[in-house]
Amino acid sequence: MKRVKILLLICMVMPFFSAMAQNRTKVFDNSRPDKIVTFGVRVGLNSSSISTNFLSANSEMIQNNIYWRMGGQVGGAAYLNITKLLAIQTGLSFENRSFDCALMAADANSDYMGSSFIHSRFNYLHIPFMLTFRLNLMENMEWEFDLGGYYAYGVNGKKKQRNYIAFGEENGDLVFDKSTIKSDYFGLESRDFLAVGHSDLGLKIGTGFTFFKHYYLGVFYERSLKNLAKQNPGAPAYKIKNLNWNVSLGYNF
């Protein structure tokens, strides 16, 4: 059975390599570009989340689950073409992101246990700065590799936090309480939980294909290098970083 799978895989990829072998264009074409500057439009979907150090930074926290959620983006791209092989890429896009978070904390000394469920949705203005390498796979098909970084600025967003608390009173009674807090995602104070700043700076890598010199399909991964958390003196030193995958369709003019 294993040999059959290998043979099927070979049969599937052979036409692709055969087409490359018959391709008369250079795979690595370092000649002068047809255009010095190329512009394009992009639209797509993303899946985003955050990474944190909540469990290690706060001894009272016993559970921290963060869930990826879907969003979208729209914008434009600009290429400064150095050669047909190498370009510098930048652009501007509007990105809508989201994530959910479920937390649980407890303190035996104060006889306390609480859970929080948080839904956040927010928007960024996003500017990439990357090196782009292009390979000619076929006559009308380019394979693109992108490596660099990005700067993003949060423009608005919303956070909804539902809290459930149980604690014991001095007379031995057990008290339950719940509350719902709605707030501006980027407008929280440093004393508030999950408070982040507007600016984000990080790593961005991706790959994509351009068909017939105009039609584009690409996928990217982004990760913050900057700690987004607002620090509150005397409180645990939290770390929060953005994580994001996105897929884009586009057209190059």
Side-chain angles (χ1 to χ4, degrees):
M1 187 64 183
K2 186 176 181 180
R3 292 182 178 179
V4 173
K5 291 182 179 179
I6 294 174
L7 289 174
L8 288 174
L9 179 61
I10 293 174
C11 292
M12 291 174 63
V13 300
M14 279 299 294
F16 175 77
F17 287 106
S18 177
M20 288 187 62
Q22 296 174 12
N23 182 16
R24 296 182 180 181
T25 61
K26 295 181 180 179
V27 176
F28 300 94
D29 188 353
N30 205 32
S31 61
R32 296 180 61 182
D34 298 329
K35 297 179 180 180
I36 300 299
V37 179
T38 305
F39 295 98
V41 293
R42 302 286 186 265
V43 62
L45 298 174
N46 65 59
S47 180
S48 55
S49 182
I50 58 172
S51 66
T52 73
N53 69 334
F54 292 165
L55 288 176
S56 60
N58 193 333
S59 59
E60 295 182 1
M61 194 166 295
I62 58 177
Q63 187 174 350
N64 174 31
N65 296 323
I66 301 173
Y67 305 96
W68 294 69
R69 292 294 179 258
M70 297 292 294
Q73 69 274 344
V74 60
Y79 296 87
L80 176 61
N81 301 307
I82 301 172
T83 68
K84 289 184 177 180
L85 176 66
L86 177 64
I88 298 174
Q89 182 184 165
T90 185
L92 176 64
S93 61
F94 178 84
E95 296 189 351
N96 175 259
R97 299 186 184 181
S98 179
F99 69 86
D100 288 343
C101 187
L103 309 168
M104 181 176 291
D107 184 3
N109 295 326
S110 58
D111 197 15
Y112 156 87
M113 177 175 287
S115 298
S116 294
F117 300 92
I118 301 167
H119 172 71
S120 299
R121 184 166 291 277
F122 45 94
N123 302 313
Y124 276 111
L125 291 177
H126 180 95
I127 301 174
F129 42 90
M130 299 182 291
L131 288 177
T132 296
F133 302 90
R134 300 189 185 101
L135 305 180
N136 296 313
L137 296 184
M138 301 179 188
E139 183 177 356
N140 292 307
M141 181 178 177
E142 292 181 346
W143 191 1
E144 179 178 305
F145 297 91
D146 304 297
L147 175 62
Y150 70 88
Y151 173 78
Y153 187 83
V155 290
N156 56 29
K158 295 181 179 181
K159 187 185 86 165
K160 182 178 180 181
Q161 180 171 338
R162 292 174 292 140
N163 300 315
Y164 301 88
I165 302 173
F167 59 92
E169 293 188 327
E170 293 183 357
N171 60 9
D173 292 338
L174 185 62
V175 179
F176 296 92
D177 190 18
K178 64 179 181 179
S179 62
T180 299
I181 303 173
K182 296 181 180 180
S183 56
D184 182 350
Y185 182 74
F186 295 105
L188 297 174
E189 301 293 333
S190 59
R191 64 177 180 270
D192 297 321
F193 184 71
L194 205 63
V196 298
H198 286 269
S199 296
D200 183 19
L201 183 69
L203 173 70
K204 182 169 185 174
I205 58 174
T207 187
F209 296 91
T210 301
F211 305 93
F212 301 101
K213 300 187 182 297
H214 295 290
Y215 304 99
Y216 174 82
L217 171 65
V219 59
F220 291 90
Y221 174 71
E222 300 166 359
R223 181 184 180 89
S224 298
L225 297 177
K226 177 183 178 181
N227 181 14
L228 308 178
K230 295 180 180 179
Q231 301 302 320
N232 189 27
Y238 290 125
K239 293 181 181 179
I240 302 173
K241 295 185 177 183
N242 281 326
L243 307 174
N244 185 53
W245 284 95
N246 72 67
V247 177
S248 291
L249 296 174
Y251 183 88
N252 295 330
F253 298 99

